Structure formats: structure tokens, C-alpha cells
Amino acid sequence: MEVGINYKRISTLADLRRDLPFTKEVGYFQTGTYGPTPDSVVQVVASAMRFEANHGPATSTSREAMREPEERARRALAALLNVKHRELALTTNTSQAMQRVMRALEWRPGDEFIVSSLEHVSTTGISWELERKHQVKVITLTADQGDAVFLEGVKSALSPRTRLICLSEIASADGRRLPVAETCALAHEKNVSVVVDGAQAVGQVPVDIRALGCDYYVGSGHKWLLGPMGTGFVYASEDHLGAFNPDYVPERHPWTVPGTPAQEPSARSRAEIGTYNHALVIGLGASVDIMASIGLSAIEARAAQLSKRFRDGLLEIPGVKILTPLEPGTSAGITSFMIQGYDRARMEYLSTNLWDKQRVVVKAQWLTAPPRAELVAVRVSIAGFNSEDEVDRLVEGLRDEIAG
Ligand SMILES: Cc1ncc(COP(=O)(O)O)c(C=O)c1O
């Protein structure tokens, strides 16, 4: 029996926008936090859950029927990222995926961990724990002064004690693209591994993990991929799979019939433990299908066009200081900016007013972790499904609010 899922064909950004009916009323610029889930993806998740409910979740009917769409989803994600199926494990989010990578390494006192200064707060927490639990030396490199400064920092920080480098493909705070491939090349010359945080990249721009050459890569399904909430993944390159064991997973599953040879290790067998939500995985596959059929280059190009419109408008507003680099190729759909004289409370008031008056949603946040009071900014995430009208409403709202 088949689950009977209707994978709606969505191959243009106009189709996608129609599949996000709330965009008729809301100008949504928060995809960097949570991407909205298309209606057709919600339907896919619902069909899968309904099937399990109708047939009993642990019956052979459900188990057999769910296997095919789930496998299809996993393969679609691996293809989108250009990795092998066995190099990918699913998680509930990026933070959990990053934890899996960190726990798979055996940290020794005096080991060194190089991290970019623009990493997400979830990585900052890990750095603190590495210092506290394992006496690891954490070296933070300036990442907001351009690629050359960062790469010079990498070169001089690399030492025989370096275990790992961590950097984002696109920084959460200001949307800057970091030089991932170049960092991997430098690290590999010294046999050092690199983990890339792709939370803000996957679904926003084309991501080719193999071409980047990193050892580990983590990401979320529920941001730019527009997948269901609570989906993410960790990639561990084939070379690392033998040692990739973040938890307590034996070489042979305890249920394996005695005498059968051990299976080849996979990221999934090592990093996915216990029961998970099959319907969400299948739903994530539907989102990946949408991204793949529209094409990430087309999505990136559209977001770049809208971002230019937004940034041009923003540059005309007195008192605004844009933090995101504006030279072509240095950022994508995220624009962060500060406003002269605005503290956190005033920023929040501004975002409340933007919602009340213009029905647009932005994020007012601290730019660093731990927070620094003087670095409160607005982050605007522009995705391929946004429209000119929404961008204009946002610019108009900002102009009115700041003028005052
Ligand atoms: C770069 C980066 N890493 C990690 C995260 C955490 O993502 P998640 O909530 O999916 O764990 C975020 C969230 O905004 C992020 O921007």
C-alpha cells in the first residue's frame, strides 16, 4: 500500500508564493529565524501522519509504506547538498547537529579550537563548555573585517594543537559570507578539520558541500529550506565516518544476529538514535523538492534583486548604519543595520510598530553572543518568495518610524 502523498509541483517563485497564503497579508522578513512552511508541505506531513494513524504506526503496512517516501526525502536532501546518502544524518535543528560534531571529537586538555567571531550563540555555548570541561583553548578570529583579515588570522592561529575550525557559511548576525573553501584548504594543509555552520546558507544560496571541501557541515530544515519546524541535519565526510560516534553507538547494533559482519558506518547509524518523526522527514523532502525544482540560483538571484531594492531605500534614511557588506558576492538576502541612538528597547518598539502599521516582521536583536548593549541591530531576511511591495512597505515603515 502507498501513503498516497500528493507532492504538488512548485517550480516557480510565483507558485511558491501562492503556496504561502499568509504572504497576502504579512511581509515576512524572518526566514533567517523560522522559514514559513508552504501549504503543500503541511499537506504532505499531514498525509503521512494520517496514514500512520489510520493504519497503526508500528504495523507492517505503515512501516513499509513510509519507507519509500522517507528514503526519497533523505536522498533528495543529499542530492541538494551534493553529498553521499551515508554521509548525512537528520537532527532536529542546527544546534543539535553542531553538538553531534563536537561530541564526536575526543577533546584533550590543551587542544585548540578556532572559531570565527561571527558564530551563533549555540556555538558560543559549546566553546565555553569545551574550555570548562576539557581545558580546550578557544581562539576567536575577527570575521567582520573581510576575508583577507580572517584568512590571515587562520594562518597564524593554526598550530600543532589545533583540532577544529568552526565558521558559518553565512553569518547569522550580519549575513556576511565567510571564506569557507579557502579556510578548508588552509586547515587541510595542517591536517585540521573544519565544521561549517550552514544554518543561514542552506536554502538561501546554492550549497555544494563537496566543493567546499569541509569535514562536517550542519544546517536546519526550518529556515531557508522552508521545511517543517524541528528538522536539521549533520554531514560528516566519508573519511571521518569511522570515527564519527557522538554518542554510545557500538559497531554492531545489539539486535544484530550474532555472526553477521558489522555494517559500514554511516552518519545516520551513528547520529540518529531512537524514534523520530517520520512525517517531518517526509515533509522536509517535499520542501527540498520545491527548492530543487525552483533552483537555488534562481532563488538567490531573486533575493539579491529584492535586497538591492531594500538596501537602496535604507541608504537614504538618515541615522541608519548598515552592517552587512554591500559589495557584490559578499552577502545574500540578510541585511542587518543599526540606527543611531537606538537601544534594545527602542529597537523592539520599532519592530512592534512595523508590525502594527505595515504588517511586516523583522528581527531586532543583539549582534553578538554574549550580548553587547551597543550592538543592537535590526536583521531583515529577504527570501525568494518576498515581493517588491513588501520591501517598499518595510522601507516606508522604517523611514516613518526613524523620522519620528
Ligand atoms: C548560523 C546559525 N547557527 C545555528 C543556529 C541555530 O539554529 P537552530 O535553531 O536550528 O538550532 C542559527 C539560528 O538562527 C544560526 O543562524
Side-chain angles (χ1 to χ4, degrees):
M1 194 182 279
E2 284 188 6
V3 179
I5 292 172
N6 174 22
Y7 293 100
K8 192 169 165 189
R9 179 133 184 89
I10 292 184
S11 47
T12 65
L13 285 164
D15 291 345
L16 174 58
R17 197 171 157 85
R18 274 191 290 278
D19 209 26
L20 293 165
F22 86 117
T23 56
K24 284 195 197 119
E25 285 162 25
V26 177
Y28 192 76
F29 297 106
Q30 268 275 47
T31 300
T33 303
Y34 301 138
T37 315
D39 256 10
S40 60
V41 173
V42 174
Q43 291 299 329
V44 167
V45 174
S47 307
M49 291 191 84
R50 173 63 50 212
F51 189 91
E52 282 185 320
N54 286 348
H55 296 275
T59 55
S60 56
T61 309
S62 285
R63 287 194 156 161
E64 278 159 27
M66 300 288 280
R67 195 169 297 135
E68 190 276 326
E70 190 182 325
E71 199 50 30
R72 178 183 188 277
R74 290 173 182 273
R75 291 197 183 278
L77 182 61
L80 189 83
L81 301 169
N82 192 23
V83 301
K84 292 185 183 160
H85 186 247
R86 61 187 280 262
E87 295 173 314
L88 208 57
L90 299 181
T91 61
T92 49
N93 53 50
T94 301
S95 310
Q96 191 196 47
M98 186 64 90
Q99 295 270 347
R100 302 250 85 82
V101 173
M102 298 297 179
R103 289 169 65 102
L105 298 177
E106 280 171 28
W107 295 94
R108 291 175 300 259
D111 281 349
E112 293 174 3
F113 173 46
I114 300 178
V115 63
S116 104
S117 60
L118 286 173
E119 293 317 294
H120 187 255
V121 58
S122 51
T123 299
T124 309
I126 292 174
S127 300
W128 288 357
E129 282 301 277
L130 288 178
E131 281 173 329
R132 189 184 68 81
K133 276 191 172 166
H134 302 293
Q135 295 76 54
V136 167
K137 184 172 164 199
V138 177
I139 300 171
T140 305
L141 298 182
T142 304
D144 61 358
Q145 302 295 316
D147 290 1
V149 173
F150 182 74
L151 293 170
E152 268 315 308
V154 171
K155 273 190 216 156
S156 48
L158 276 165
S159 89
R161 297 306 312 260
T162 312
R163 289 294 303 284
L164 186 70
I165 302 182
C166 171
L167 78 167
S168 293
E169 190 167 2
I170 294 183
S172 182
D174 65 0
R176 176 185 304 267
R177 292 179 192 234
L178 299 184
V180 170
E182 295 87 335
T183 302
C184 292
L186 289 174
H188 290 164
E189 276 173 22
K190 308 274 180 197
N191 279 326
V192 169
S193 297
V194 179
V195 55
V196 178
D197 182 338
Q200 298 295 344
V202 175
Q204 185 177 186
V205 297
V207 170
D208 181 334
I209 294 182
R210 199 156 305 288
L212 291 174
C214 58
D215 302 86
Y216 306 97
Y217 192 104
V218 298
S220 301
H222 46 233
K223 294 184 188 284
W224 300 87
L225 277 180
L226 314 187
M229 194 84 80
T231 51
F233 67 88
V234 52
Y235 155 86
S237 84
E238 214 165 21
D239 308 343
H240 292 288
L241 286 179
F244 184 66
N245 197 354
D247 297 293
Y248 292 96
V249 179
E251 264 196 16
R252 271 187 194 74
H253 195 285
W255 272 356
T256 317
V257 177
T260 45
Q263 275 198 328
E264 256 197 324
S266 68
R268 182 175 175 188
S269 70
R270 289 285 172 68
E272 289 186 30
I273 337 166
T275 305
Y276 55 91
N277 190 325
H278 307 127
L280 294 188
V281 175
I282 295 169
L284 176 62
S287 302
V288 169
D289 286 353
I290 294 175
M291 295 293 139
S293 60
I294 297 174
L296 277 157
S297 299
I299 292 172
E300 180 186 22
R302 170 68 173 153
Q305 183 193 16
L306 291 173
S307 293
K308 180 169 182 333
R309 187 180 183 101
F310 174 60
R311 292 167 183 181
D312 286 350
L314 203 54
L315 284 166
E316 310 235 307
I317 305 178
V320 166
K321 181 178 171 210
I322 300 182
L323 301 163
T324 305
L326 301 183
E327 302 80 49
T330 55
S331 60
I334 291 177
T335 307
S336 294
F337 56 95
M338 303 202 308
I339 306 166
Q340 205 175 14
Y342 274 57
D343 59 9
R344 181 158 177 101
R346 207 158 164 208
M347 279 294 189
E348 274 173 4
Y349 183 69
L350 169 99
S351 64
T352 306
N353 280 348
L354 287 173
W355 170 247
D356 289 346
K357 296 181 193 163
Q358 299 288 352
R359 279 289 179 263
V360 294
V361 194
V362 298
K363 180 169 188 172
Q365 63 166 19
W366 277 300
L367 271 188
T368 57
R372 276 172 50 199
E374 75 278 16
L375 279 178
V376 177
V378 177
R379 184 179 77 180
V380 172
S381 297
I382 296 184
F385 63 78
N386 285 120
S387 72
E388 276 86 359
D389 169 62
E390 289 162 2
V391 166
D392 294 348
R393 260 159 51 210
L394 175 57
V395 173
E396 192 188 314
L398 283 167
R399 202 184 297 117
D400 291 352
E401 287 302 314
I402 294 169

